[in-house]
Amino acid sequence: MRLPAAARWTIWLASLGLVCGLAWTRLDLKNPVDTDILAMLPAEQDSGALAEATARSREAFVDEVLILVSGGDDPATRAAAEAAGQAAATDGLKTDSTGESLDRLLQVYEQHHYALLDEAAVARLQKGGATALATDVAVSLGSPTGMVDAFGNDPGGHLTRFLSSLPRPYPQFLPDGPFLSALKEGKRWYLLRTELTGGAFATTGSSQAAQAVRDARAAVQRACPGCAFAATGAPLFAEVARHEGQVESEWLTLASTLLIMVLIAWVFRSFAPHVLAGLQLVASVLAATAAVIICFGSIQVLTLVFGTTLLGIAIDYAFLYFAEYWFGGSAPAEVPRAVRPGLYMGLLTGVLAFSFLLLAGFPALTQFAVFSVAGLVEAGLLVALIFPVTLTRFPEVPVHAAVLWPQRFIQAACRAHWRRAVLPIVALLLAVPGWLRLHTSDDVRELQSFPPELLETDAHIREVLAQVPPPGFFLIEGKDLSDALGRETRLFALLHGTVPGAVPLGLSRFLPSPTQQEASLATWQQLFADPAALRSAYVRFGLPAKFADRTAADWRAASHAPLDPGALFAAAPDLKRFVIPAPGGVALLATVTGKADIDTALLNRATAAVPGTTFVVPLARIADTFRRTRLRATWLVIAGYLLISALLLWRYGRREAPRMLYPPLLALGVTLGVLGWLGEPVNIFVVVALILILGLGRDYAVFLREGGAGQRSPALAVTLSALTMLCSFGLLALSRIPVLHVFGLATLVGILASYLSAPLSLAPVRRNRP
């Protein structure tokens, strides 16, 4: 029984409204378009400590925004830096309080300075006794800073040496109030370290950072027109990626829609196809976006850009219906029955092809799959429900050249001729050298494209700071904090001797291990146990004996307790980031920096020498994840091809099914060959393109087979489908995002090859001789 028009409209609108309403309840209003590329990666099956260390390392990197102000006039430059800091704070950025933390740390270290001797000082003082201490005191008198505490709270300047050995974020910059400052190249440089209070990759977070930087730049220009301003940080890169992704999505959608509208006007010369095709495209993208939001709460910017290509796929079903309605010769009431086999078979195999992406275990591909499946289902539903009750009159558009040439091409390609056998073989032979030139790429940095000026600014700031980003981080596990600190100390000692230029950063640089502190306190106890020997040693170096009595009195009055981690963390809360709870113990997060790139092989070698220590390179781990996912997706392509082969075998039998499988295989071979010739890398998104090519090649074969060899409407539908896909993916190949560029290029070549080889799915027609 046929449903009345009102029921069809009700069913369609209710289903679309339900999906959109459910999506609204799930939408993350603060971050509707997610630009966090790392969130698209599969979750690593790491231990709790390693997962937490990875998260903390990432947060320390992605939330930071560095602002650098420089000028030749020191007072004016400082005023400009202060104005920049006030503007950034007004916009919500949290400024670094290095100076305040340093003051609190100094107080803590002064209270426990007798526990801070390093191993070398302990060994020398234990061996040399009072003479060694008297020597240190005498030497310290040669330094103006040492004279202050030579006989007070810092006998021999050991506390001063400990403080001078503390790691600084940027060695050439010293704390200067709320800034870090340096005098270089005749100019004063002020570095302001800020961080977001929210997520760097969230829309609000990245926009907040970008606005703060713009306001800080304007404040500097007002305060000191001659001063230079520069800023860098992951939030600024995220904001550029979000903006460019949205801009690309908008212009790709607009350009694709306009090209499709021009094509529809040229062929059908009626207003109705524009309305119905526009309705289908809007509904498909709306349903697809809603489905992604229901599943994930937001939509990734790459999915949004990728989704514009759905326009070229979803409209295939509309073209199949339009071609039969306008030029197929069937009565309007008979059109649904005529297109139903091709529509349902194409929809079924298309949904299956994209559904296989759900098995890849890759969040990015999962979003693509959900987007594509939901969009295709919505497109098919609209064609099946709405088109039959809107296109009810006989069309009045005459057959013209734009309608006839696709039919003539298919008919000519179906004739028995040597070209049907030779040309595909020639194409494959030309593709073979390209196959041999193929190479893979699993670099996560290809997921985004950034303006050169942004990269140049970042490189300039890193050059001024004389420090490159760390290549990775260490995870040092121990049964307790003392054990972990001891292992970290041994690791840092190895790095000092084997990795030139390496500057390790970890908790042990601020907090000696309990064992080391006990050795330090025992050494001082031994020195002050014999006051007569201490006086004698001082006198031999020409120092008054009462100075020895004074240092001994200070020892008796001072605290002999070791430095407790709680006291250190109370003074400098940021140091808590180094400590990670671990099953059965504790783990420490540490890293290493330098003025140049550090050989990770040397770091791994040092790590292997210290039990319980791991060196993690996040980019390498992500690349390995991409590689494994690419290989898994490749097997899914093969599995999908086998499943679709089984469906075609069930539908068309053993004789016809192989013929229909030939065009998609030929298109895959030609596509890979062209990519090889052009030197384009094969990555996970190229594998997605191969799935799409497989689906399109199958669609074309099914439409032609179900419509009949050489028939006008299926030939026109396949041709229009190929043209719209070429428009969509041809534009996507112009994307500045590397992965989308190669995806669009691969699909562009594959579509063209699929269309040209589609007639091979039909049996050759021999001419009747008179």
Side-chain angles (χ1 to χ4, degrees):
M1 182 178 66
R2 294 186 58 186
L3 289 173
R8 289 170 177 263
W9 279 100
T10 301
I11 292 173
W12 174 69
L13 289 174
S15 62
L16 183 60
L18 180 63
V19 171
C20 293
L22 185 57
W24 179 256
T25 64
R26 290 272 297 143
L27 180 63
D28 182 0
L29 296 177
K30 295 182 179 180
N31 190 32
V33 179
D34 192 357
T35 58
D36 186 354
I37 298 300
L38 299 181
M40 302 182 72
L41 306 179
E44 295 287 347
Q45 300 301 317
D46 295 327
S47 65
L50 182 54
E52 180 64 22
T54 302
R56 293 191 186 184
S57 176
R58 178 191 174 204
E59 289 171 2
F61 168 73
V62 302
D63 289 342
E64 186 178 58
V65 177
L66 300 179
I67 296 176
L68 195 62
V69 180
S70 61
D73 186 337
D74 195 346
T77 306
R78 186 179 185 87
E82 290 174 347
Q86 292 174 358
T90 301
D91 286 332
L93 293 189
K94 179 183 176 183
T95 56
D96 181 47
S97 56
T98 302
E100 296 177 2
S101 296
L102 185 59
D103 289 339
R104 292 194 299 266
L105 272 177
L106 287 176
Q107 293 177 6
V108 171
Y109 287 141
E110 285 177 358
Q111 294 171 5
H112 300 275
H113 69 277
Y114 286 110
L116 302 180
L117 291 177
D118 58 25
E119 290 184 359
V122 166
R124 197 171 61 80
L125 290 177
Q126 285 182 347
K127 182 179 180 180
T131 301
L133 176 59
T135 302
D136 292 341
V137 172
V139 170
S140 68
L141 289 175
S143 168
T145 58
M147 290 180 65
V148 176
D149 283 327
F151 308 109
N153 292 333
D154 186 18
H158 294 98
L159 175 59
T160 302
R161 281 193 286 275
F162 174 83
L163 295 176
S164 65
S165 69
L166 289 176
R168 297 196 298 268
Y170 307 101
Q172 297 183 12
F173 281 71
L174 297 175
D176 187 355
F179 311 107
L180 296 172
S181 70
L183 184 62
K184 300 178 61 174
E185 303 171 356
K187 295 190 296 183
R188 174 62 66 177
W189 301 76
Y190 288 99
L191 175 65
L192 181 63
R193 301 171 66 194
T194 66
E195 65 178 26
L196 288 174
T197 54
F201 289 106
T203 303
T204 54
S206 60
S207 299
Q208 176 190 28
Q211 183 61 47
V213 167
R214 286 193 292 268
D215 291 344
R217 185 189 303 274
V220 168
Q221 291 175 347
R222 289 192 300 269
C224 178
C227 292
F229 177 93
T232 189
L236 304 182
F237 283 86
E239 174 64 10
V240 171
R242 182 189 66 81
H243 179 262
E244 290 196 351
Q246 289 183 342
V247 169
E248 280 201 1
S249 175
E250 291 170 0
W251 79 260
L252 283 172
T253 302
L254 179 61
S256 299
T257 302
L258 290 176
L259 289 172
I260 291 172
M261 290 177 65
V262 169
L263 188 60
I264 290 175
W266 180 46
V267 174
F268 297 104
R269 303 181 183 184
S270 174
F271 186 68
H274 287 290
V275 176
L276 290 175
L279 180 64
Q280 186 201 45
L281 294 178
V282 171
S284 298
V285 173
L286 191 61
T289 303
V292 171
I293 292 174
I294 290 172
C295 295
F296 302 96
S298 62
I299 186 168
Q300 276 283 343
V301 65
L302 277 181
T303 303
L304 196 61
V305 177
F306 172 85
T308 60
T309 61
L310 182 67
L311 302 178
I313 308 173
I315 204 169
D316 285 0
Y317 309 137
F319 282 151
L320 183 65
Y321 198 99
F322 293 160
E324 182 64 27
Y325 174 78
W326 260 270
F327 306 112
S330 300
E334 299 300 321
V335 173
R337 183 180 304 172
V339 302
R340 190 175 296 131
L343 173 64
Y344 289 174
M345 195 66 184
L347 182 60
L348 175 61
T349 53
V351 168
L352 282 175
F354 282 107
S355 295
F356 268 89
L357 292 178
L358 297 172
L359 305 177
F362 193 66
L365 298 189
T366 302
Q367 278 208 14
F368 292 169
V370 171
F371 192 99
S372 301
V373 169
L376 292 182
V377 170
E378 177 63 27
L381 184 66
L382 187 64
V383 170
L385 286 177
I386 305 304
F387 281 24
V389 296
T390 53
L391 299 175
T392 57
R393 298 180 180 180
F394 282 93
E396 299 178 355
V397 179
V399 176
H400 51 88
V403 178
L404 293 176
W405 75 259
Q407 181 183 14
R408 291 169 181 167
F409 168 74
I410 298 298
Q411 287 177 341
C414 287
R415 295 193 187 104
H417 195 278
W418 60 267
R419 287 191 293 266
R420 279 178 60 96
V422 173
L423 291 181
I425 294 175
V426 171
L428 287 176
L429 290 176
L430 291 175
V432 170
W435 299 348
L436 302 177
R437 294 164 56 92
L438 285 172
H439 66 282
T440 60
S441 175
D442 302 304
D443 192 345
V444 68
R445 288 168 291 189
E446 293 180 352
L447 291 174
Q448 291 180 312
S449 175
F450 302 111
E453 57 270 19
L454 196 62
L455 296 173
E456 291 174 3
T457 299
D458 181 76
H460 167 67
I461 291 177
R462 301 297 176 186
E463 181 181 359
V464 171
L465 299 179
Q467 189 177 88
V468 299
F473 63 86
F474 298 98
L475 186 67
I476 303 101
E477 298 183 78
K479 60 184 179 181
D480 52 32
L481 185 59
S482 175
D483 186 31
L485 284 170
R487 292 180 176 182
E488 184 178 277
T489 302
R490 291 197 297 274
L491 173 65
F492 287 176
L494 281 173
L495 294 176
H496 179 73
T498 59
V499 185
V503 181
L505 176 63
L507 184 61
S508 63
R509 298 287 305 275
F510 300 90
L511 177 65
S513 68
T515 303
Q516 181 61 36
Q517 292 192 58
E518 290 173 3
S520 176
L521 291 169
T523 300
W524 286 112
Q525 177 69 42
Q526 176 184 336
L527 286 171
F528 292 114
D530 189 353
L534 191 61
R535 273 193 230 98
S536 175
Y538 271 50
V539 170
R540 283 200 303 273
F541 279 91
L543 302 173
K546 63 180 181 179
F547 289 164
D549 296 335
R550 179 179 173 183
T551 55
D554 288 336
W555 159 255
R556 290 190 297 271
S559 170
H560 299 169
L563 174 58
D564 180 74
L568 183 71
F569 296 151
D574 286 347
L575 295 180
K576 289 182 181 179
R577 296 180 179 180
F578 289 119
V579 183
I580 300 172
V586 69
L588 294 178
L589 174 65
T591 188
V592 61
T593 59
K595 296 182 179 180
D597 292 331
I598 300 173
D599 187 356
T600 55
L602 296 176
L603 299 178
N604 283 318
R605 193 176 307 162
T607 301
V610 181
T613 303
T614 307
F615 180 66
V616 180
V617 182
L619 281 179
R621 284 164 57 85
I622 293 173
D624 184 63
T625 300
F626 267 64
R627 182 189 62 81
R628 287 185 278 109
T629 305
R630 173 173 49 80
L631 294 176
R632 187 184 303 122
T634 302
W635 284 109
L636 289 176
V637 172
I638 298 173
Y641 193 87
L642 293 176
L643 180 57
I644 291 176
S645 300
L647 286 174
L648 295 178
L649 187 65
W650 166 74
R651 172 67 178 170
Y652 302 110
R654 290 179 296 177
R655 295 186 61 183
E656 292 297 322
R659 190 188 304 276
M660 299 185 68
L661 293 169
Y662 179 47
L665 276 180
L666 179 62
L668 291 178
V670 171
T671 301
L672 291 174
V674 171
L675 291 179
W677 276 113
L678 296 178
E680 296 287 353
V682 175
N683 53 37
I684 182 62
F685 293 91
V686 170
V687 178
V688 176
L690 298 182
I691 295 176
L692 184 59
I693 293 167
L694 169 63
L696 289 171
R698 170 266 314 142
D699 263 353
Y700 298 160
V702 168
F703 289 172
L704 292 179
R705 177 65 176 77
E706 294 291 345
Q711 295 301 310
R712 183 183 302 158
S713 62
L716 178 60
V718 168
T719 302
L720 291 177
S721 170
L723 289 174
T724 55
M725 291 297 291
L726 288 173
C727 291
S728 298
F729 288 102
L731 293 174
L732 195 58
L734 301 177
S735 174
R736 286 177 290 185
I737 301 175
V739 294
L740 292 182
H741 161 72
V742 70
F743 172 81
L745 181 62
T747 314
L748 181 68
V749 175
I751 292 166
L752 185 60
S754 297
Y755 175 71
L756 295 178
S757 61
L760 299 177
S761 63
L762 303 175
V765 178
R766 299 186 180 275
R767 291 185 177 181
N768 296 324
R769 294 184 178 180

